[in-house]
Amino acid sequence: MNTFQIVFYLFALIVIISAMGVVFSRKLMYSAFSLLFTFFGVAGIYALLNADFLAVVQIMIYVGGILVLIIFGVMLTTKITDVDMISGKTGKWVYLGASIVSLSVLTLLLYMFNTVNWNLPGATAIYHDSSLDALGTVLLTKYVLTFLVAAILLLIAFIGAALIARKGN
Amino acid sequence: MESNFILELFGNNIWSYLIIAVIPLGFVTLYALVAILGELKIASWVQDRLGPMRTGWKGVLQPLAEVIKLLQKEDITPTNVNRPLFNTAPFVVFIGSFAAFAVIPFSSKFIPADLNVGLFYIFAVSSFGVIGILMGGWSSNNKYSMLGAIRSASQMISYEIPMALSIIAIATLSSSLNMNKIIEMQSGGFWDWNILGGNGPILKIVFIPFLLVLFIVYFIGSLAETNRTPFDIPEGESEIVGGYHTEYSGMKFAMFFFAEYANMFVVSSLVTVMFFGGWQSPFGSFLNDPISQVFWFVIKAMFFVFVQIWLRWTLPRVRVDQLMYITWKVMLPFAFVAFLGVAFWSMIKP
């Protein structure tokens, strides 16, 4: 095994174990915190695949933003932190439905994985250029309209949130 | 990678990467001892005391004594805490601050990982600290810890915005996020440091005020980021006992403490890299070899650590509403204007 493989399997192990923690833990708070390690592992794999900018954005947005939001949400709504995920009212049919849905998602993903014509550029051992420059160029030339629309959407969401928050006073 | 002498020395294998990872750890450990002594001594001098005098010459061995004390303390885990999260939190906080050392350029020949997105990376990994603090505060099952954690998280999230603006401004000025490139742009003596307008013609003096404002905004933000006074409301002793680490003792408390000191060095070295030329010697090419660069870098970063300690013992704590007022209504507009100024300068710069 070379360094690449060791690091890859390390991150893959982190992702799989923590993702299982997210799904199987009976406390909501454990799931939320397990998500931290999942995001971290995915970011590590991105970094390993030379997508340095994507890796950092993954940590920045998912760990710094979304996860904090989820944890705040769980913490501030008292009592749901200790509720068992399976309550008495859901019967055995839940398992059947869940199995069907997840099996069909798995089939779809496997089908996609095998049929889509993936664009695989030759892997390079050492990668000198940053994906940052390429991303910036593409964002401000080819996809400039999408970029601006996304920015305006965020601005609208921002103003809307401020408006809702101010309503009380 | 020519920017790492370990890789040149031992080749590109897993052992050299391990060595690269261990060097900053050793540095942090040594630095933490020095910083603790600095904190104790500067605090005493500010308050007209002598400080620790009995361990070693003038008390220089005091931090070692403190570490030994913390190591042999009983590791108390309160009964009603959430045990797994309570035990993980200090490590998550420390990972957050130690991960940032991966891109800190100690010298042109030693930067642990020469990432192209270095500046952005430091900014991103600091969010691990937020999660760790929330984890510790929530799992302690104590209202003061919880309040401290929420205060800390909201403070760190708010102060990230003006700090991000100053980082973006520096990124536009040097058209890179790579730490070494940002430093290389500032070569040629202190006159070319970013705080004095960076490398460029004499016209740059018009834009110095903008960079000065960005520096001040960043520095204030970094004080809030590390939960240092005057922004230490997350651990305000007079209001919420000890904040998020109220329930922690012994080595686990030491981890939080260690992470705070490591974070102080990270933000100080970021200030150094962004505004004060990183490892560049202030006298141009004089004493600008890779070994002196380590000296210049550490001396500059330690100066800002000193400023942080100095501020801690001179300023009173701000209130929560003042804290939010400072970020959103003072720092943010100033940072925006300064950012526009710097962006204009990097546009017209030849």
Side-chain angles (χ1 to χ4, degrees):
Chain A
M1 282 220 283
N2 55 23
T3 316
F4 184 89
Q5 280 168 326
I6 295 172
V7 176
F8 175 80
Y9 284 115
L10 185 72
F11 281 121
L13 208 68
I14 293 175
V15 171
I16 290 171
I17 291 177
S18 57
M20 280 164 74
V22 175
V23 180
F24 292 126
S25 54
R26 320 234 331 161
K27 287 186 179 169
L28 212 48
M29 211 58 183
Y30 288 175
S31 299
F33 282 120
S34 298
L35 214 51
L36 168 69
F37 298 99
T38 317
F39 289 148
F40 169 72
V42 172
I45 288 176
Y46 282 150
L48 207 60
L49 297 176
N50 284 332
D52 48 0
F53 184 68
L54 193 61
V56 176
V57 166
Q58 164 88 10
I59 293 181
M60 179 94 201
I61 292 178
Y62 282 95
V63 176
I66 291 175
L67 192 59
V68 172
L69 205 66
I70 290 175
I71 291 171
F72 258 72
V74 176
M75 277 200 313
L76 294 181
T77 42
T78 46
K79 301 212 174 125
I80 71 161
T81 46
D82 282 331
V83 168
D84 273 353
M85 296 302 251
I86 301 165
S87 66
K89 281 179 186 162
T90 49
K92 291 258 160 62
W93 291 104
V94 166
Y95 293 114
L96 188 68
S99 320
I100 291 171
V101 170
S102 30
L103 269 179
S104 46
V105 169
L106 181 68
T107 330
L108 184 72
L109 283 177
L110 279 176
Y111 177 73
M112 263 175 62
F113 185 74
N114 284 320
T115 52
V116 172
N117 188 17
W118 300 102
N119 174 25
L120 295 171
T124 44
I126 303 165
Y127 193 74
H128 285 297
D129 292 333
S130 168
S131 55
L132 192 65
D133 301 341
L135 268 173
T137 315
V138 171
L139 265 185
L140 288 179
T141 51
K142 198 173 169 190
Y143 299 110
V144 68
L145 185 69
T146 338
F147 183 65
L148 287 179
V149 168
I152 290 170
L153 184 72
L154 281 176
L155 184 67
I156 292 170
F158 193 58
I159 293 172
L163 210 67
I164 292 170
R166 283 179 75 96
K167 214 172 239 173
N169 20 333
Chain B
M1 268 188 254
E2 65 287 344
S3 57
N4 207 320
F5 78 96
I6 302 275
L7 285 181
E8 280 173 13
L9 221 58
F10 299 107
N12 191 354
N13 57 40
I14 189 118
W15 300 110
S16 25
Y17 289 110
L18 281 178
I19 295 172
I20 290 171
V22 165
I23 291 176
L25 191 62
F27 174 77
V28 177
T29 318
L30 270 178
Y31 147 78
L33 295 178
V34 175
I36 291 170
L37 183 71
E39 181 98 55
L40 291 168
K41 278 296 189 185
I42 292 164
S44 346
W45 292 332
V46 169
Q47 296 166 349
D48 203 9
R49 299 183 278 124
L50 284 174
M53 286 297 277
R54 296 183 183 244
T55 27
W57 178 78
K58 299 266 182 194
V60 286
L61 292 179
Q62 185 66 27
L64 267 181
E66 303 260 350
V67 169
I68 293 166
K69 176 198 76 180
L70 283 169
L71 273 173
Q72 58 179 349
K73 257 188 168 178
E74 188 189 350
D75 180 30
I76 303 168
T77 311
T79 325
N80 284 328
V81 299
N82 189 319
R83 207 169 274 266
L85 293 182
F86 185 80
N87 290 333
T88 332
F91 299 100
V92 174
V93 173
F94 183 68
I95 286 170
S97 12
F98 185 60
F101 277 86
V103 292
I104 287 185
F106 287 98
S107 144
S108 57
K109 283 282 173 200
F110 186 69
I111 168 166
D114 195 9
L115 292 187
N116 282 315
V117 285
L119 208 54
F120 193 39
Y121 168 86
I122 287 202
F123 203 60
V125 291
S126 70
S127 49
F128 276 98
V130 182
I131 302 276
I133 285 172
L134 275 176
M135 201 186 256
W138 182 80
S139 66
S140 295
N141 197 10
N142 171 336
K143 57 183 136 181
Y144 297 119
S145 301
M146 180 80 178
L147 278 174
I150 290 181
R151 279 183 178 192
S152 172
S154 57
Q155 167 179 328
M156 281 161 108
I157 290 170
S158 328
Y159 275 80
E160 266 181 6
I161 297 161
M163 280 168 82
L165 274 171
S166 46
I167 285 181
I168 293 172
I170 294 301
T172 28
L173 190 66
S174 36
S175 58
S176 176
L177 282 171
N178 182 318
M179 302 291 243
N180 265 347
K181 284 219 185 87
I182 292 171
I183 296 171
E184 274 157 22
M185 287 286 290
Q186 306 175 46
S187 63
F190 67 93
W191 178 241
D192 285 332
W193 290 353
N194 275 343
I195 187 83
L196 294 174
N199 230 329
I202 195 72
L203 185 66
K204 73 179 184 180
I205 51 168
V206 180
F207 296 93
I208 289 177
F210 293 113
L211 282 153
L212 210 60
V213 166
L214 282 175
F215 162 65
I216 292 168
V217 163
Y218 185 82
F219 194 72
I220 294 174
S222 73
L223 289 177
E225 187 81 12
T226 49
N227 292 333
R228 299 281 298 178
T229 319
F231 302 105
D232 70 336
I233 58 159
E235 45 198 85
E237 294 86 353
S238 52
E239 300 157 23
I240 50 172
V241 195
Y244 54 88
H245 52 57
T246 306
E247 297 289 348
Y248 284 93
S249 60
M251 215 45 217
K252 276 183 254 164
F253 169 73
M255 288 297 273
F256 277 116
F257 202 63
F258 201 36
E260 183 183 318
Y261 277 88
N263 241 337
M264 276 164 67
F265 187 80
V266 169
V267 293
S268 307
S269 50
L270 218 54
V271 168
T272 310
V273 167
M274 294 200 317
F275 298 101
F276 290 89
W279 37 254
Q280 296 279 7
S281 152
F283 316 111
S285 54
F286 174 69
L287 279 180
N288 207 9
D289 54 294
I291 294 173
S292 318
Q293 283 166 357
V294 177
F295 167 75
W296 290 123
F297 182 79
V298 172
I299 206 98
K300 284 174 192 170
M302 285 311 269
F303 174 74
F304 288 104
V305 171
F306 162 71
V307 174
Q308 287 186 332
I309 295 173
W310 174 22
L311 285 176
R312 173 170 177 182
W313 297 102
T314 28
L315 294 178
R317 183 182 305 137
V318 297
R319 281 197 318 265
V320 182
D321 59 319
Q322 290 169 336
L323 180 93
M324 290 300 160
Y325 174 80
I326 295 168
T327 11
W328 294 102
K329 293 192 175 168
V330 182
M331 276 162 67
L332 200 57
F334 270 103
F336 262 120
V337 172
F339 168 62
L340 286 178
V342 171
F344 182 64
W345 166 232
S346 42
M347 223 164 68
I348 61 167
K349 195 168 74 166

